[in-house]
Amino acid sequence: MGNFFKQAFKDMKESAKAQHEVDKANFEAAKAESKAQWEEAKMSPKARQAKMQAEREAQIAEAKARTAAANERIEAAKNSKK
């Protein structure tokens, strides 16, 4: 019975350490994202406009790739019926 509790507390301690590492990493990520947002907010209007245009172009390219993949799946499904 004593070993059971020793093992249980050891497991809880290891779990707490692992969760602390996860929390620490998430905090660092949130801090970096916040700083990035701050730096982006300080960008000049032209730089901000160029950044947003690049993001829109990337989104359009991604949407076109998804459309092409969906069309390929449609064709494959049609061909498998025959």
Side-chain angles (χ1 to χ4, degrees):
M1 189 71 149
N3 283 340
F4 172 78
F5 286 114
K6 284 182 182 178
Q7 187 62 39
F9 284 118
K10 182 180 175 185
D11 289 346
M12 286 191 295
K13 182 179 177 182
E14 290 172 4
S15 178
K17 280 184 179 180
Q19 186 60 48
H20 177 70
E21 291 298 317
V22 169
D23 292 342
K24 204 162 107 174
N26 283 333
F27 177 74
E28 289 298 320
K31 198 165 104 174
E33 289 169 347
S34 178
K35 185 171 182 171
Q37 286 176 344
W38 173 251
E39 293 300 325
E40 288 172 347
K42 294 189 313 182
M43 290 170 63
S44 70
K46 282 200 180 261
R48 186 177 302 121
Q49 185 179 15
K51 179 184 174 293
M52 292 187 71
Q53 182 62 34
E55 288 175 359
R56 284 191 293 268
E57 289 171 0
Q59 288 174 349
I60 289 170
E62 181 184 344
K64 286 182 180 180
R66 289 177 32 216
T67 301
N71 287 335
E72 288 175 13
R73 288 176 42 206
I74 291 168
E75 289 301 316
K78 284 181 181 179
N79 293 335
S80 68
K81 287 182 183 178
K82 294 179 182 177

